[in-house]
């Protein structure tokens, strides 16, 4: 009897370890990368058939309450944008490599080189000299062809810097001849923009420049990575908050049992397939529980308040895991709610003190910048004073500078220039 108990214990432990071994990479991957995380298990198992969760429209799976309950247009557009498969910037550009802009093989090769050497903002950052030496052409001819990106959509792509990007866009703008000449001067001397403020066409130039895209690839920056939320949190018709798992987006695993189960190999593969199914179920259960905990601790946020201090240790204690495991588990996971699509990690903040989270500080900082004087933007020291006064905490200027950079907010002098451009 003792031997039997021991055998059963070993079998149970073996099954659990198999599931956990599958579970960790599946839990740590984002929902959009889940299929890729499963690939090693699927390719090694002939009894597994997988149907992609991407075959249905994600839009149908978003509860209407997320979109309808007091959401601003910009937030709604962000959520709806997740439901549409857009072409990437490189797909759009590749389609334009050909006649009439690039009719010859060398012009197409140069265009391809420019596209391949765009930086993260859409500016050309390639080594022109090396390319010209390898292809035995001079730099002037290279530049003539690169400048044809003036006619490529999105306009401004392929320029070397902000000024050239604005000049590209200026040539495609609806502007009077007189204002056009002044605009060229201003763009080439952007640092001294004040010197042109008394010019007759200055207001027209500023109006036109304010419509320019900066950076030139701004329309495609959010498309660089497909964001698929694991959870939807919303208020139902009874105004009760609900947590809905985005389980319809999961790959569907079918186990083919038509093979002869008398074969040991097939039996083992069926066990491994069931272990993979168990791993997916564990992922769903884990993230659903995370969602419930987020609602419990951050209820005020979902009703319009601020994110409260919540450490990963609190969550880890609930699950009986190490905080580092939980940190990896919530990485690249997102929640869709009526305040937008947010990364899970944003709900787990470091507390500045017992009652104030750094998320609350950042939210207040954003509000200060939105309301600041455009003629005299707030310096980091002034922001520091206002934040310390508001939250009754002690901080240092470099922390404000760090938060500002994390929020993609320019320094006060740079913001002043952008305000003068109407951006």
């Amino acid at each position: 009897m003792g031997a039997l108990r021991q055998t059963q214990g070993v079998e149970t432990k073996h099954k659990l370890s198999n599931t956990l071994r599958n579970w960790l990479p599946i839990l740590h991957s984002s929902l959009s990368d889940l299929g890729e995380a499963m690939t090693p298990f699927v390719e090694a198992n002939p009894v597994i058939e997988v149907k992609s969760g991407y075959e249905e429209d994600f839009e149908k799976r978003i509860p209407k309450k997320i979109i309808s309950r007091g959401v601003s247009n910009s937030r709604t557009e962000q959520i709806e944008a997740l439901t549409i498969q857009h072409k990437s910037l490189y797909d759009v550009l590749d389609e334009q490599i050909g006649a009439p802009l690039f009719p010859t093989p060398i012009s197409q090769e140069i265009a391809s080189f420019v596209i391949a050497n765009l930086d993260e903002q859409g500016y050309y950052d390639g080594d022109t000299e090396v390319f010209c030496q390898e292809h035995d052409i001079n730099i002037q001819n290279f530049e003539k062809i690169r400048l044809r990106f003036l006619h490529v959509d999105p306009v401004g792509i392929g320029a070397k810097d902000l000024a050239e990007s604005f000049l590209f866009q200026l040539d495609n703008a609806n502007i009077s001849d007189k204002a056009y000449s002044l605009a060229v001067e201003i763009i080439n001397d952007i640092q001294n923009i004040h010197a042109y403020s008394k010019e007759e066409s200055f207001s027209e130039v500023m109006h036109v420049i304010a419509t320019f895209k900066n950076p030139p690839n701004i329309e495609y920056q959010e498309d660089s990575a497909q964001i698929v939320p694991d959870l939807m949190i919303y208020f139902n018709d009874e105004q009760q908050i609900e947590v809905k798992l985005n389980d319809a987006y999961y790959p569907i695993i079918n186990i083919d049992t038509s093979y002869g189960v008398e074969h040991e190999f097939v039996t083992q593969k069926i066990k491994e397939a069931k272990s993979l199914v168990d791993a997916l179920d564990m992922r769903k259960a884990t993230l659903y529980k995370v969602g419930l905990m987020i609602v419990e601790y951050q209820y005020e946020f979902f009703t319009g308040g601020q994110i409260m201090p919540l450490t990963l240790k609190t969550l880890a204690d609930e699950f009986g895991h190490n905080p580092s495991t939980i940190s990896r588990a919530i990485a690249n996971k997102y929640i869709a709610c009526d305040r937008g699509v947010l990364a899970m990690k944003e709900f787990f903040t470091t507390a500045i003190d017992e009652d104030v989270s750094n998320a609350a500080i950042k939210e207040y900082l954003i509000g200060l910048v939105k309301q600041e004087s455009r003629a005299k933007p707030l310096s980091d020291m002034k922001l520091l004073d206002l934040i310390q006064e508001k939250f009754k905490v002690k901080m240092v200027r470099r922390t404000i500078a760090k938060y500002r950079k994390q929020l993609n907010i320019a320094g006060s002098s740079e913001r002043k220039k952008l305000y003068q451009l109407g951006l």
Side-chain angles (χ1 to χ4, degrees):
M1 183 67 70
L4 179 59
R5 284 200 201 97
Q6 186 177 9
T7 301
Q8 289 175 334
V10 170
E11 288 178 351
T12 302
K13 184 176 180 180
H14 180 67
K15 178 181 178 181
L16 185 60
S17 65
N18 278 341
T19 302
L20 288 174
R21 187 166 59 249
N22 294 342
W23 177 66
L24 288 175
I26 287 173
L27 177 64
H28 294 165
S29 68
S30 65
L31 190 51
S32 57
D33 293 333
L34 186 56
E36 185 177 344
M38 289 171 49
T39 298
F41 306 109
V42 173
E43 289 181 346
N45 198 323
V47 305
I48 294 178
E49 296 176 353
V50 178
K51 179 182 178 183
S52 172
Y54 285 82
E55 292 178 6
E56 298 178 32
D57 291 335
F58 174 48
E59 183 177 10
K60 298 176 182 177
R61 304 188 185 124
I62 300 181
K64 295 301 180 185
K65 290 294 179 181
I66 289 182
I67 298 178
S68 64
R69 186 179 178 270
V71 189
S72 67
N73 287 337
S74 61
R75 285 298 193 186
T76 303
E77 288 168 3
Q78 288 177 19
I79 295 173
E80 290 177 343
L82 300 175
T83 72
I84 304 171
Q85 292 288 343
H86 295 291
K87 290 181 179 178
S88 72
L89 173 62
Y90 296 99
D91 290 336
V92 171
L93 294 175
D94 284 342
E95 290 175 356
Q96 299 175 73
I97 298 179
L101 286 178
F102 309 104
T104 64
I106 187 60
S107 65
Q108 292 173 12
E109 215 166 329
I110 290 173
S112 296
F113 181 77
V114 171
I115 293 172
N117 287 275
L118 296 176
D119 66 13
E120 64 275 8
Q121 295 185 315
Y123 296 116
Y124 169 65
D125 191 29
D127 193 330
T128 304
E129 289 188 13
V130 171
F131 179 90
C132 290
Q133 288 173 2
E134 291 176 350
H135 293 79
D136 194 25
I137 61 173
N138 60 51
I139 292 178
Q140 289 74 22
N141 287 335
F142 178 96
E143 281 297 294
K144 284 180 181 178
I145 293 173
R146 183 187 67 81
L147 289 174
R148 294 178 192 172
F149 274 80
L150 163 70
H151 306 290
V152 167
D153 185 54
V155 180
I157 287 290
K160 287 186 174 180
D161 51 33
L162 176 65
E164 190 177 58
S165 174
F166 275 14
L167 289 173
F168 280 12
Q169 295 179 66
L170 180 63
D171 270 10
N172 289 270
N174 183 14
I175 188 171
S176 66
D177 292 342
K178 190 172 183 180
Y180 176 90
S181 299
L182 178 61
V184 172
E185 287 186 57
I186 290 176
I187 290 171
N188 285 321
D189 191 24
I190 201 78
Q191 299 297 326
N192 297 313
I193 193 171
H194 301 289
Y196 302 89
S197 60
K198 294 183 180 179
E199 296 287 340
E200 183 181 343
S201 303
F202 183 76
S203 60
E204 182 184 354
V205 170
M206 289 298 96
H207 177 74
V208 170
I209 290 178
T211 66
F212 292 171
K213 295 179 177 63
N214 177 31
N217 71 346
I218 192 168
E219 292 180 344
Y220 293 86
Q221 285 185 340
E222 291 187 357
D223 293 336
S224 61
Q226 175 79 3
I227 296 177
V228 182
D230 278 86
L231 298 169
M232 279 82 79
I233 296 177
Y234 60 98
F235 285 82
N236 60 24
D237 293 333
E238 289 74 36
Q239 293 303 300
Q240 296 175 328
I241 199 164
E242 289 192 15
V243 178
K244 180 177 174 59
L245 188 70
N246 193 8
D247 56 355
Y249 221 73
Y250 278 70
I252 299 170
I253 297 179
N254 295 317
I255 302 175
D256 186 355
T257 57
S258 62
Y259 293 93
V261 294
E262 66 275 5
H263 296 290
E264 184 178 346
F265 172 81
V266 174
T267 302
Q268 179 61 32
K269 291 303 176 183
I270 289 176
K271 285 183 179 179
E272 291 174 3
K274 290 179 178 178
S275 174
L276 185 59
V277 173
D278 290 341
L280 283 173
D281 289 341
M282 287 177 69
R283 176 196 166 99
K284 293 178 184 179
T286 300
L287 293 177
Y288 182 72
K289 186 176 179 182
V290 170
L292 293 176
M293 288 190 64
I294 287 174
V295 169
E296 180 180 350
Y297 285 95
Q298 304 291 3
Y299 187 85
E300 183 179 343
F301 170 81
F302 294 104
T303 55
Q306 298 178 342
I307 291 178
M308 301 302 293
L310 175 61
T311 65
L312 284 173
K313 187 177 184 304
T314 302
L315 188 65
D317 290 344
E318 289 278 344
F319 282 89
H321 291 304
N322 190 286
S324 62
T325 301
I326 298 301
S327 177
R328 291 193 297 272
I330 66 172
N332 303 313
K333 310 296 190 305
Y334 294 85
I335 289 175
C337 64
D338 67 353
R339 296 187 68 175
V341 178
L342 304 171
M344 271 191 194
K345 64 181 181 181
E346 292 186 37
F347 293 96
F348 299 90
T349 59
T350 303
I352 300 297
D353 68 11
E354 192 173 290
D355 299 311
V356 182
S357 72
N358 60 6
I361 299 284
K362 290 178 181 179
E363 189 171 335
Y364 184 64
L365 191 157
I366 291 172
L368 289 174
V369 172
K370 283 182 178 179
Q371 297 170 15
E372 70 183 356
S373 165
R374 296 196 161 210
K376 191 177 180 181
L378 298 169
S379 67
D380 285 351
M381 283 305 300
K382 185 59 178 176
L383 289 169
L384 174 64
D385 292 341
L386 292 170
I387 287 171
Q388 289 185 146
E389 181 181 351
K390 165 73 174 177
F391 293 98
K392 304 296 187 284
V393 295
K394 189 67 178 174
M395 302 175 67
V396 294
R397 189 199 62 80
R398 66 176 177 271
T399 302
I400 301 302
K402 181 181 76 172
Y403 287 176
R404 180 171 52 73
K405 290 176 182 177
Q406 289 174 348
L407 295 167
N408 200 26
I409 297 174
S412 57
S413 59
E414 186 65 23
R415 295 203 303 278
K416 185 175 182 178
K417 293 175 186 176
L418 292 172
Y419 290 149
Q420 289 167 343
L421 289 171
L423 301 176

